């Protein structure tokens, strides 16, 4: 029997949630480079190394990407587009054999023109024009965003949301990571885009009910006004990002995020994780 090919896989954003989960799904025969400013915790095994790099420093990126068969690109700041340009320039220079980009489901929505979506569309267009074989991973909102409710649940038995009855087909980060690991370096997925969702659209009100059942106590989901939501976002993100998130919530209210896909099941051979399953796996974060 022929041994599976060994690849050198570079994961950017290695201290973030998705890349750290992807690393756990990669077979042991691959060489894996975790690229980030600081070493990520919790990934220790033979064949895995960390390389310090800075998205503002093209030289450090070129060093991190050298000899890579596959590059997984994760960036998270639309107010600093130079990061994305520097990463792509270094990937071309390396050169990288296959680039897998974590993007967003909203790029397919012709009515979506907020800052985050425009940024992701521009990034996708640049990757497609780079000459590197590419694959786009386009997830809907992460189920893990519900972790932001944890302090309110612990202290006040309450969650807070803008448009709490609007629905989003959110997806488990673990599902995104498993799908991504299967795409890396596989030529069958070159020049293809995959939109990932959970199995059903849920509102914040419905997610709160799931958490209440899991925790065994009543919880209430309280409505935020757009201004209250904007102020809350602005405490964590630049103002331009806060405005984009409020605008995106308006599209959710209009039903733009309720569509589901079968991509997770087609690529993993199992049904996508439900919100109840995801929450049960992270119960300790809410208690």
């Amino acid at each position: 029997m022929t041994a599976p090919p060994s690849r050198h896989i570079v994961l950017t954003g290695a201290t973030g949630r998705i890349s750290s989960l992807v690393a756990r799904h990669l077979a042991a025969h691959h060489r894996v480079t975790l690229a980030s400013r600081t070493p990520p915790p919790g990934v220790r095994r033979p064949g895995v190394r960390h390389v310090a790099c800075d998205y503002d420093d093209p030289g450090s990126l070129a060093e991190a990407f050298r000899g890579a068969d596959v590059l997984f690109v994760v960036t998270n700041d639309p107010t600093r587009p130079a990061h994305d340009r520097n990463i792509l320039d270094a990937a071309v220079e390396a050169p990288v054999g296959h680039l897998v980009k974590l993007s967003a489901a909203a790029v397919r929505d012709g009515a979506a023109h907020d800052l985050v979506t425009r940024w992701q569309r521009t990034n996708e267009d640049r990757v497609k024009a780079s000459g590197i074989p590419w694959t786009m991973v386009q997830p809907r909102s992460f189920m893990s965003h519900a972790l932001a409710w944890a302090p309110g649940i612990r202290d006040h038995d309450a969650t807070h949301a803008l448009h709490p009855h609007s629905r989003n087909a959110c997806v488990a980060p673990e599902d995104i990571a498993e799908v991504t690991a299967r795409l890396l370096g596989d030529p069958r997925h070159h020049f293809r885009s995959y939109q990932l969702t959970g199995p059903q659209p849920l509102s914040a009100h419905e997610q709160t009910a799931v958490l209440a059942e899991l925790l065994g106590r009543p919880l209430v989901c309280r409505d935020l006004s757009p201004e209250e939501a904007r102020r809350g976002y602005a405490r964590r993100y630049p103002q331009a990002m806060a405005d984009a998130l409020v605008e995106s919530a308006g599209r959710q209210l209009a039903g733009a995020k309720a569509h589901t896909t079968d991509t997770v099941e087609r690529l993993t051979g199992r049904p996508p994780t439900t919100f109840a399953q995801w929450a049960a796996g992270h119960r300790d974060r809410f208690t």
Side-chain angles (χ1 to χ4, degrees), residues 8 21 32 50 55 79 87 89 115 140 191 198 204 207 211-212 227 238 249 253 274:
H8 179 198
L21 288 170
V32 179
H50 173 259
Y55 290 172
T79 67
I87 287 172
D89 288 347
L115 171 68
R140 191 52 79 194
F191 311 112
Q207 288 178 321
L211 292 170
E227 281 310 311
L253 180 63
T274 67

Side-chain angles (χ1 to χ4, degrees), residues 1 62 70 74 78 120 130 142 144 151 167 190 212 237 240 287:
M1 181 181 294
V70 193
V74 181
Q120 289 288 23
S130 70
F142 296 0
S144 53
R167 290 189 168 98
H190 286 183
Y237 306 110
T287 58

